[in-house]
Amino acid sequence: MKFSSTQRISIIASAVVAVMLFLILMPSPMQVDSGVVSRGGLQVTLDGEGVSRVRDSYIVASPVNGRLERISLEEGDGVLPGQIVARITPPPLNSREYENADARAKSAEALLEAANAEQRRVKLDLDRAATKHARYRNLYAKGAVSSETYEEVNTAWEVAGKRYQAARLNAESASYERDAARSVIDRSIEGRPFDVKAPDSGKVLRVFEKSERVVAAGTPLVEIGDPGDIEVVVDLLSSEAVKVEPGMVVAVEEWGGGAALRGVVRTVEPAAFTKISALGIEEKRVNIVVDLSETRPALGDNYRIQARIVLWEGENILKVPVSAVFRGEEGWRVFALDGGRAVMRNVKLGRIGTYDAEVLEGLSEGDGVVVHPTNDLEDGMRVKAMKK
């Protein structure tokens, strides 16, 4: 069958129009963000908010009832052991008050004896830790023990030293309390002012009572501590705190400085406490105490921080962005990029970190995946990948 030239032109024109209409009406590929399955380091972390605090702070309280003279100290002033921080003039004692003061003096004497006994006990622990540290140091130098074992022994020795220092300071504080309790009776009888002294050197962190007034025994006056000896306390939900163990590495962030500070978990407190969340829900939380490996002068007492506790870390891990995986009927799924289309695949994941997850099955290194897939994306749909 032969077509005239007019018919051939009409057929060709119709075909061109049909192709153009098909191209115009065909849906364009959906633009999606993409990521790549790769190998590298992976960390599983637990994030929490906390505060910094001076490790060994002392709240100096009024040991007697009486009139407090105006305190001249300011926040940030340095003090020395035995330095007078406040003066209180006690009123004369009646017979009942005298008996109470005598009982407090005897109680302070007993507390001093207990503090001295604790100091002797901790000193024995320190001596044993020092001996063990010296022995393992020689073994480590000869290659007989691993570096992890030597670091554990070294850490135990350092912790024992800190405990002994705390016990010694507690004994000194108990001694001051004993002297204060004994002098209450004499000073009240004689009408002389009572000098309240600093138990240790440091700086004044807070002045609770600035003006002259009558105070009761036990009223906090000033708080003293070393702002250069800072630790961090992070409160976590009790269900999360059970995953944390002493010795885990911690990154302290958002404290106001540039770089994150490194720390190590020292203690997971054994008792939880109740805290009301921002939504008004009662939560059981646990304090995690962290020793900082480095301190900064700008980081002071009771500063807000954000801590990241490393629960697990590994190298050469096949990982996929967490934002690419989602829950399906049969477990975890992803949209893999295959020939310009998004193909849904089932994947098996291992450990899941903050930004990446470990891939056990379903994906290979170098595979492209859709990150942040929308509800409009369907299996087999044409897509245009945009690198994230």
Side-chain angles (χ1 to χ4, degrees), residues 93 98 101-103 105 180-190:
L93 297 178
Y98 180 87
D102 184 58
R182 282 180 174 176
S183 62
V184 168
I185 301 174
D186 297 336
R187 291 179 181 274
S188 63
I189 294 176
E190 298 172 4

Side-chain angles (χ1 to χ4, degrees), residues 65-343:
N65 300 324
R67 176 168 293 279
L68 171 70
E69 297 181 7
R70 181 176 177 83
I71 297 177
S72 59
L73 292 173
E74 300 284 348
E75 284 84 353
D77 290 347
V79 294
L80 298 174
Q83 179 178 336
I84 298 174
V85 297
R87 279 193 171 95
I88 300 174
T89 302
L93 297 178
N94 56 36
S95 59
R96 177 174 296 178
E97 291 173 339
Y98 180 87
E99 292 177 357
N100 290 337
D102 184 58
R104 285 197 295 270
K106 293 178 181 178
S107 175
E109 185 72 32
L111 291 176
L112 175 59
E113 293 179 1
N116 288 332
E118 176 65 13
Q119 181 181 0
R120 291 191 294 269
R121 185 189 68 81
V122 175
K123 182 62 168 60
L124 292 176
D125 293 340
L126 176 59
D127 293 340
R128 285 194 293 266
T131 302
K132 186 175 182 180
H133 174 262
R135 184 171 67 254
Y136 272 74
R137 181 175 57 190
N138 294 331
L139 293 175
Y140 177 68
K142 297 176 182 179
V145 295
S146 63
S147 59
E148 290 80 4
T149 302
Y150 174 70
E151 289 177 1
E152 291 178 359
V153 173
N154 184 65
T155 301
W157 174 57
E158 292 177 352
V159 170
K162 294 291 185 181
R163 289 177 178 173
Y164 175 71
Q165 181 182 8
R168 179 179 59 82
L169 295 176
N170 287 336
E172 293 182 5
S173 178
S175 176
Y176 289 123
E177 293 290 341
R178 187 271 314 271
D179 294 341
R182 282 180 174 176
S183 62
V184 168
I185 301 174
D186 297 336
R187 291 179 181 274
S188 63
I189 294 176
E190 298 172 4
R192 293 187 292 112
F194 182 84
D195 294 334
V196 182
K197 300 180 180 180
D200 193 17
S201 61
K203 289 188 176 182
V204 177
L205 303 178
R206 297 173 184 85
V207 179
F208 298 105
E209 298 293 340
K210 188 69 177 178
S211 302
E212 178 179 348
R213 74 178 187 90
V214 176
V215 296
T219 301
L221 303 178
V222 295
E223 184 177 3
I224 298 172
D226 180 9
D229 189 12
I230 295 290
E231 63 184 8
V232 168
V233 181
V234 184
D235 64 284
L236 300 175
L237 290 172
S238 57
S239 58
E240 297 177 340
V242 296
K243 305 174 185 177
V244 182
E245 298 178 357
M248 287 183 171
V249 177
V250 181
V252 178
E253 304 171 337
E254 299 182 19
W255 59 275
L261 302 178
R262 186 180 182 276
V264 177
V265 175
R266 184 176 84 238
T267 304
V268 179
E269 292 188 355
F273 59 93
T274 302
K275 183 177 181 180
I276 306 299
S277 69
L279 299 177
I281 301 174
E282 288 190 358
E283 298 176 341
K284 291 297 183 180
R285 307 188 75 87
V286 178
N287 281 333
I288 310 297
V289 184
V290 178
D291 287 332
L292 294 177
S293 304
E294 57 178 331
T295 57
R296 301 291 176 87
L299 183 62
D301 183 54
N302 203 31
Y303 283 28
R304 175 193 172 277
I305 58 94
Q306 192 75 21
R308 178 170 296 174
I309 304 173
V310 180
L311 302 179
W312 177 89
E313 60 181 340
E315 298 295 334
N316 195 30
I317 304 298
L318 185 64
K319 58 185 181 178
V320 63
V322 171
S323 56
V325 299
F326 56 92
R327 282 286 188 180
E329 297 179 357
E330 300 178 358
W332 294 106
R333 291 182 175 181
V334 298
F335 279 108
L337 298 176
D338 186 4
R341 296 184 180 274
V343 181

